Amino acid sequence: MSDKVTGRARQPVNERASDGRAGAAGPPLAGVTVLELGTMYAAPTAGRMLRDFGARVVKVEDPATGDYARHWTPQHEGLALGFARLNAGKESVGIDLRRPAGRDLVRRLAARVDVVLESFRPGRLEEWGLGYDVLAADNPGLVLTRVSGFGQTGPYRERPGFGTVAETASGYAFTNGWPDSPPTSPPFGFADSIAGISAAYGTVTTLLARSRTGLGDVVDVALYEPLMFILGDMILRYTSTGEIQQRVGNGSGSASPRGIYRAGDGRWLSIAASSQRIAVRLFQAMGHPEFADDPRFATNTARMEHNDELQGIVAAWVAARPRADVLADLDRHEVVAAPVNDARDVVEDPHFRERTLVDLAGTVLGPALVPGPILHLGGYPGPVYDGVPEIGEHTEPGLRELLALSSAELAGLGAERVVGPLRAGVR
């Protein structure tokens, strides 16, 4: 891999921020310990969000197989890229939750942490004797963040759910695509990511409330609900007007002209003339200022009524020149536009290199980049992503520290395969 992919390394968290504000106080979630029982995508995303801002995240994995995300593709040198992105910097403790002794360890751990993240089917923790009433009796300040397909309540609570189910049940897939194409799910964990970010938000909100009351609470996140919220006016539109939103391709169905267009060199770009002023500036950039007074295009309502005609005009204008020239004209006229980037474009873009992409070090992936935290704080330079844990890599030191287990106790649990793997030095 060329040196082009070497990104901007984050400052250590105890150093001073570049604008002079002190970072010596540490990350905003310093001192918060999270016990992550979640697997796959959504709950580990929440764990990464919390870890990004300083929480210690102790990930409980099956000692034999680990989080199933370790088996996802694509992989490089045996390391699943998706697992690496979501779990860098976490600690892995191998505990078999199918065994009563393993569940007892988790209950004891939950009594010593601030947050438990879980993504089992609703009712599973209760079957294991790990419901919130039990955990809160040991630790009244505990925040239990639960991510499931359809939530902890309601007729569908017991149904299993992955991201694809959430993307279809929420209404997203029905509205995504072209009028003559079938409903389409995204080629990435869209619902899971949005749910994970929402779970992190709910967790921090509850931690803030705990700072006033001393009491924790349950955060209940259904995979589909955050996605249903970001779909915009689909539900309000139906309940107020009776209209069912349909697939409209690259447009929004609410503003024109807006979409993705192919330039003369075969490269793609987007234009979002979603306000009146931007539409007028686009017309000027196109050399058609008269469109601003044309009855077909003078208002957004008129433009939507003549959307196909206007889109054809815009597409022809874009197609007449190379993408760089079109974007330069649009930028000069302050029209909202951007190239349609692939992964290489993102990595080579100086803005993303400076602000967004960070190094993932200490793995078999070599020089590699990942998107950093989803937001920036003025006094906190952000985390360092160094190393992805092996299954149970922190079992021995983690259980020694958190539960004060002796070598004999660890060895006994290891012999019974309740925990693992253990280093050879444990006797």
Side-chain angles (χ1 to χ4, degrees):
M1 190 174 291
S2 74
D3 60 2
K4 287 185 177 180
V5 302
T6 302
R8 174 178 58 91
R10 293 280 188 179
Q11 291 176 279
V13 295
N14 61 348
E15 290 187 1
R16 183 171 293 274
S18 60
D19 63 0
R21 281 174 286 192
L29 294 180
V32 173
T33 301
V34 178
L35 187 66
E36 182 182 294
L37 307 181
T39 62
M40 302 284 280
Y41 211 129
T45 295
R48 178 187 153 169
M49 297 296 107
L50 299 172
R51 189 264 170 187
D52 278 354
F53 293 95
R56 176 188 183 186
V57 180
V58 179
K59 183 179 182 68
V60 173
E61 298 190 74
D62 185 290
T65 62
D67 185 336
Y68 187 74
R70 290 184 182 272
H71 307 281
W72 284 345
T73 59
Q75 298 194 3
H76 180 72
E77 300 290 340
L79 178 59
L81 304 187
F83 182 86
R85 178 173 59 84
L86 294 180
N87 295 284
K90 296 178 183 178
E91 302 172 34
S92 175
V93 173
I95 300 177
D96 189 345
L97 284 170
R98 294 166 296 187
R99 298 172 181 264
R103 298 195 286 272
D104 180 66
L105 285 175
V106 166
R107 177 174 175 175
R108 292 165 64 187
L109 286 168
R112 290 164 171 79
V113 302
D114 301 282
V115 177
V116 171
L117 279 174
E118 67 99 356
S119 58
F120 298 107
R121 196 181 300 187
R124 181 63 55 82
L125 283 188
E126 287 74 12
E127 292 172 7
W128 286 345
L130 298 173
Y132 186 69
D133 57 340
V134 174
L135 300 183
D138 298 335
N139 183 0
L142 180 70
V143 177
L144 176 61
T145 298
R146 317 189 73 170
V147 183
S148 61
F150 291 92
Q152 303 296 316
T153 62
Y156 299 159
R157 65 182 296 270
E158 295 183 356
R159 288 187 180 181
F162 285 151
T164 301
V165 171
E167 287 147 9
T168 55
S170 65
Y172 169 78
F174 183 84
T175 62
N176 185 44
W178 298 89
D180 57 353
S181 69
T184 306
S185 286
F188 59 93
F190 189 19
D192 295 275
S193 295
I194 298 297
I197 294 168
S198 300
Y201 165 71
T203 300
V204 173
T205 299
T206 308
L207 287 172
L208 177 62
R210 187 186 73 170
S211 71
R212 297 191 300 268
T213 67
L215 299 176
D217 205 345
V218 177
V219 179
D220 177 6
V221 179
L223 283 180
Y224 73 89
E225 280 181 326
L227 186 55
M228 186 179 286
F229 176 81
I230 69 171
L231 288 178
D233 299 332
M234 182 184 76
I235 302 302
L236 181 59
R237 180 176 179 177
Y238 173 70
T239 56
S240 61
T241 70
E243 299 175 6
I244 297 176
Q245 183 174 326
Q246 302 295 315
R247 294 181 291 285
V248 295
N250 285 323
S252 67
S254 59
S256 176
R258 173 176 170 172
I260 295 176
Y261 308 90
R262 190 173 188 177
D265 55 3
R267 308 184 77 185
W268 298 84
L269 60 94
S270 65
I271 298 174
S274 301
S275 74
Q276 183 67 18
R277 290 183 178 181
I278 296 174
V280 170
R281 293 200 292 264
L282 173 61
F283 298 153
Q284 293 169 346
M286 294 170 56
H288 288 291
E290 72 279 6
F291 281 4
D293 299 315
D294 189 313
R296 298 169 299 167
F297 311 135
T299 66
N300 185 61
T301 300
R303 290 193 293 274
M304 287 301 299
E305 291 175 355
H306 298 87
N307 185 54
D308 290 345
E309 181 181 0
L310 181 55
Q311 292 284 23
I313 296 171
V314 175
W317 176 73
V318 172
R321 291 182 300 158
R323 181 173 75 175
D325 293 350
V326 177
L327 286 171
D329 271 351
L330 294 172
D331 185 56
R332 194 159 40 247
H333 286 84
E334 298 183 353
V335 176
V336 178
V340 176
N341 288 328
D342 61 20
R344 178 184 297 172
D345 295 327
V346 170
V347 169
E348 294 180 351
D349 188 293
H351 179 86
F352 302 139
R353 291 281 291 276
E354 176 181 331
R355 177 181 170 88
T356 305
L357 303 180
V358 298
D359 293 321
L360 174 59
T363 76
V364 296
L365 302 179
L369 301 179
V370 293
I374 61 171
L375 55 88
H376 301 261
L377 301 179
Y380 170 55
V384 172
Y385 301 88
D386 189 2
V388 176
E390 298 291 336
I391 299 173
E393 179 180 341
H394 304 91
T395 300
E396 179 192 347
L399 294 181
R400 282 188 189 277
E401 176 192 349
L402 292 168
L403 298 182
L405 295 185
S406 67
S407 294
E409 290 173 308
L410 283 166
L413 291 167
E416 296 174 3
R417 298 187 178 182
V418 175
V419 304
L422 298 175
R423 295 191 302 221
V426 177
R427 294 286 187 268

